[in-house]
């Protein structure tokens, strides 16, 4: 069986954060939204219901842990959680911090405008802050 | 404590399907997309991470069961699963059958155009077919 690899489009659009168990955790390189993506390290899976029940539970646990930490870190109004896969087939879970004043509120972020990459050092700082909260909290 | 009730906006936009354990299952009254919504019967919860771990696992189980059944029933290309809550705060999980030829593919369905209500009898037929699959399958 071929080894697990992140889809090339996801890889191009994101910055690696960590391996957190089942998933690789990625930061979307779009400074308009604090936006994390979890990718279960399973080959050829596109739907949540194609994961084993144990993997479904693991993914849920990792998703809510990321969600809770992201909300505490950012003080956002709402977390958006979604597995869409219309553009990238590889199963991946979006966890996005939304603010009532952000550029596309209250609409979804996908397909809205153009990504604004982080400035030098900013993504690394966000990742460091996120990881610090991950260790302290939850 | 006040009893659980479906948010009035969700109630207005949907047709009741069933109680399936933790959740009420609703059909969005928009014939453009086969689109189900699960609402955990918990008062005052807006984020996935605010549910208890047991409820998170139940919601995951019910979501993937609905997802699997909806994909088998419709033969769709992809299922979209999402908990957004930007417009309706009450925690609710969308499970939507997407086709490569549908009116908003590959973009998300939210905020796209205007809902087209089911014609007389069509929603009831869809619900009957969905329930039949629910009992036979998974």
């Amino acid at each position: 069986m071929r080894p697990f690899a992140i889809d090339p489009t996801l890889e191009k659009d994101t910055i690696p954060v960590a391996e957190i168990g089942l998933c690789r955790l990625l930061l979307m390189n779009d400074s308009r939204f604090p936006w994390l993506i979890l990718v279960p390290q399973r080959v050829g899976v596109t739907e949540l219901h194609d994961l084993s029940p144990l993997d479904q539970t693991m993914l849920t646990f990792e998703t809510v842990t990321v969600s809770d930490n992201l909300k505490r870190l950012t003080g956002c109004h709402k977390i958006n959680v979604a597995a869409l896969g219309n553009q990238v087939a590889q199963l991946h879970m979006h966890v996005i911090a939304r603010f009532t004043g952000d550029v596309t509120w209250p609409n979804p972020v996908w397909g809205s405008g153009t990504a604004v990459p982080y400035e030098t050092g900013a993504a690394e700082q966000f990742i460091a802050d996120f990881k610090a909260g991950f260790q302290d909290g939850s």
Side-chain angles (χ1 to χ4, degrees), chain A:
Chain A
M1 191 151 106
R2 67 203 151 93
F4 173 81
I6 298 285
D7 173 276
T9 300
L10 280 181
E11 191 161 43
K12 177 174 63 62
D13 293 345
T14 62
I15 299 157
V17 176
E19 293 201 21
I20 57 170
L22 174 63
C23 296
R24 297 267 185 94
L25 184 62
L26 311 170
L27 175 67
M28 184 67 98
N29 191 11
D30 185 349
S31 61
R32 299 176 303 161
F33 311 102
W35 180 347
L36 292 156
I37 295 179
L38 297 95
V39 186
Q41 296 176 83
R42 296 287 182 256
V43 174
V45 174
T46 61
E47 300 283 10
L48 284 178
H49 63 250
D50 292 334
L51 288 173
S52 72
L54 178 59
D55 282 354
Q56 290 166 7
T57 302
M58 281 293 291
L59 176 57
T60 298
F61 172 73
E62 294 177 8
T63 299
V64 298
T65 304
V66 166
S67 168
D68 190 21
N69 192 40
L70 186 62
K71 190 161 189 179
R72 282 186 288 112
L73 176 65
T74 61
C76 68
H77 176 66
K78 189 70 189 69
I79 296 286
N80 289 177
V81 172
L84 304 180
N86 302 347
Q87 315 250 14
V88 168
Q90 182 176 60
L91 180 63
H92 58 289
M93 184 71 83
H94 301 271
V95 180
I96 308 158
R98 302 298 308 275
F99 297 83
T100 50
D102 72 34
V103 292
T104 183
W105 181 269
N107 292 316
V109 300
W110 305 278
S112 170
T114 305
V116 178
Y118 283 96
E119 293 184 13
T120 308
E124 292 71 16
Q125 185 61 54
F126 178 88
I127 290 171
D129 292 344
F130 183 83
K131 284 185 175 173
F134 223 53
Q135 281 150 358
D136 299 344
S138 52

